[in-house]
Amino acid sequence: MGITSTLVPAGALQGRAIGALIMTGFGAIWMISGAYALRLLSWEIWLVIALLTGLLCLMAWQRLQRAREIASTSAAVPQSQSIQDRRRRFGMVMAFEWVPILLTAVVLGRIGHPELILPAIAVIVGMHFIPLAKLFNVSLYYWTGGSLVLIAVVSFAIGHQVLRQAITGLGCGLSLWLTSAVLLLRRG
């Protein structure tokens, strides 16, 4: 049974697909950083990361195509004020994510603690999922945000710098990929 417009509106389907694409890309970056910390970036690891990223992107592309099909069969609806408000609030959430990330990286680098940058970024990224969960009515984002913060807290507690970077990168990457997969596999 396919996804119908009565189960998932085209806009929600498109939003999930775009969200999954973004999380897939950032998940790959986190995975690469974790593998790099462990000096495991062999061609086999690159291939696995590329294949999993490609698979998730293909699934997202199929969702985008399905959203276009649903949108083309339904009546054109003018952009509502609520959609414009949601876009504005999304922009604010992104600003409240990127500004602290940049400031944290600069400050931790300048005070001589670059080894704490990745876990600190994981906390910030995790926290940004909390307002996104409410904004897009996707309760899965609470889990995603919580998992990233938990990974960061565990990483902060680890005294070994390489292990801290690896756990942060691999843990955050896996969390984002799992979120993407769940979003893309949901039917309703």
Side-chain angles (χ1 to χ4, degrees):
M1 178 180 197
I3 298 169
T4 65
S5 61
T6 58
L7 290 176
V8 180
L13 197 60
Q14 180 182 20
R16 283 186 194 170
I18 292 169
L21 278 170
I22 292 167
M23 284 183 279
T24 296
F26 280 104
I29 292 168
W30 281 105
M31 294 298 276
I32 290 166
S33 72
Y36 177 79
L38 293 173
R39 308 284 189 257
L40 293 177
L41 278 178
S42 64
W43 71 268
E44 294 95 343
I45 298 297
W46 279 106
L47 180 62
V48 169
I49 291 171
L51 288 174
L52 290 173
T53 301
L55 176 63
L56 289 168
C57 286
L58 177 62
M59 292 170 62
W61 176 256
Q62 290 172 335
R63 280 284 174 128
L64 284 171
Q65 293 301 101
R66 182 67 182 132
R68 285 189 187 113
E69 290 171 15
I70 292 169
S72 69
T73 60
S74 61
V77 179
Q79 189 177 24
S80 70
Q81 183 64 35
S82 67
I83 292 173
Q84 293 172 359
D85 182 56
R86 185 178 287 176
R87 286 184 179 159
R88 182 186 56 75
R89 291 188 334 207
F90 175 74
M92 289 172 52
V93 170
M94 297 313 295
F96 283 115
E97 176 192 24
W98 284 100
V99 170
I101 285 174
L102 293 172
L103 289 174
T104 299
V106 168
V107 168
L108 287 174
R110 291 218 173 144
I111 65 171
H113 288 287
E115 76 280 2
L116 299 178
I117 293 173
L118 277 185
I121 289 172
V123 169
I124 296 165
V125 173
M127 295 300 292
H128 109 285
F129 275 98
I130 305 308
L132 290 182
K134 184 174 181 177
L135 180 63
F136 295 120
N137 195 27
V138 178
S139 60
L140 175 63
Y141 289 168
Y142 290 117
W143 178 89
T144 306
S147 69
L148 294 179
V149 171
L150 179 62
I151 290 162
V153 168
V154 168
S155 296
F156 279 127
I158 295 171
H160 192 271
Q161 181 177 340
V162 171
L163 194 53
R164 179 185 301 122
Q165 304 301 83
I167 288 173
T168 303
L170 297 173
C172 290
L174 184 60
S175 180
L176 291 175
W177 277 356
L178 286 173
T179 301
S180 294
V182 169
L183 283 176
L184 294 169
L185 294 172
R186 272 194 181 159
R187 290 181 103 37

